[in-house]
Each structure stands twice: as structure tokens, then as C-alpha cells.
């Protein structure tokens, strides 16, 4: 019988492995060319949950600046059970993301500090 401490430790390792895997895939995507906004944010140092939370807002800011995605790709999302859905994903260049991140500032103070660091690094 597994104890609560064991389950907690296993969950911590699972979450850490998932975040490391996402960071590795994002860094590869950005290094090989165009990538999604979430991939750019994850490769810039944000955790995957925060990156996905703010990717829509960064996309809107980029479009407000008159930027258009460099290309598109398709991605398969898992829905309930075995059901999957194919969606289009906009792919952006590093220069486009640097332009958008230089202007975008979220209202959340902690997130705004992270985005300041991202804009400086970009």
C-alpha cells in the first residue's frame, strides 16, 4: 500500500518530468524555426501552464501590432476518452515574438515581472 508521502513524491516527479519534456520540445521548436506562441514562452523560461495561460493574450497583442503568423501547422488535441480534434496552430518567428513581448504587459504583477525578463532576453 502506497503512503501519502510516496504518492506526493511520485506526483512531484511526474510533474517535473512533464515540465522538462515540454521545455525541451519548445526549445527544439524555437531553434528549428517557427514555433507557436506557447513554445516561444516556454523556451523563454516560463512554466508550461503560465505560457499556455498567456499565449492567447500575446497572440492578440501581436495581431494588434499588425503582425501576421509566418506559417501555420496542425496539432491534434486530446478531448474526452479517445476522441481527438485537429486544430490549426499559428507559427511565429523569433523576431515577431520579440516585437510582441516588448509591448505586452499583463495586469498580474508576478506575470508582468516574468514578461519583463522575457522581453529583455528576446
Amino acid at each position: 500500500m502506497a503512503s501519502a508521502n510516496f504518492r506526493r513524491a511520485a506526483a512531484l516527479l511526474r510533474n517535473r518530468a512533464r515540465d522538462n519534456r515540454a521545455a525541451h520540445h519548445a526549445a527544439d521548436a524555437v531553434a528549428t524555426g517557427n514555433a507557436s506562441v506557447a513554445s516561444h514562452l516556454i523556451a523563454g523560461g516560463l512554466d508550461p501552464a503560465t505560457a499556455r495561460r498567456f499565449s492567447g493574450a500575446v497572440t492578440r497583442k501581436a495581431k494588434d501590432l499588425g503582425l501576421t503568423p509566418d506559417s501555420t501547422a496542425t496539432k491534434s488535441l486530446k478531448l474526452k476518452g479517445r476522441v481527438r480534434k485537429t486544430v490549426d496552430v499559428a507559427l511565429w518567428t523569433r523576431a515577431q515574438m520579440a516585437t510582441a513581448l516588448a509591448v505586452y504587459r499583463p495586469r498580474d504583477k508576478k506575470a508582468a515581472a516574468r514578461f519583463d525578463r522575457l522581453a529583455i532576453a528576446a
Side-chain angles (χ1 to χ4, degrees):
M1 189 58 84
S3 68
N5 286 337
F6 177 81
R7 286 190 302 271
R8 215 173 296 124
L12 178 71
L13 288 175
R14 256 192 330 271
N15 294 341
R16 190 180 301 162
R18 184 184 59 238
D19 289 350
N20 285 340
R21 199 168 33 254
H24 177 73
H25 288 304
D28 281 349
V30 171
T32 57
N34 303 336
S36 67
V37 173
S39 293
H40 280 284
L41 296 177
I42 293 169
L46 289 180
D47 59 294
T50 305
R52 291 184 184 105
R53 176 180 162 203
F54 286 102
S55 63
V58 174
T59 301
R60 280 192 302 275
K61 180 56 80 174
K63 289 183 178 181
D64 287 346
L65 294 172
L67 302 174
T68 57
D70 196 50
S71 60
T72 59
T74 58
K75 177 181 178 181
S76 180
L77 296 177
K78 183 185 175 302
L79 299 177
K80 190 174 183 180
R82 294 185 182 184
V83 180
R84 299 188 81 75
K85 177 183 177 182
T86 304
V87 295
D88 290 329
V89 178
L91 303 179
W92 302 84
T93 63
R94 285 184 188 179
Q96 290 172 324
M97 279 299 98
T99 304
L101 290 174
V103 179
Y104 177 70
R105 288 296 164 268
R107 291 183 190 147
D108 182 10
K109 299 296 182 197
K110 289 181 183 178
R114 289 180 177 175
F115 276 91
D116 282 337
R117 281 184 255 130
L118 271 178
I120 291 169

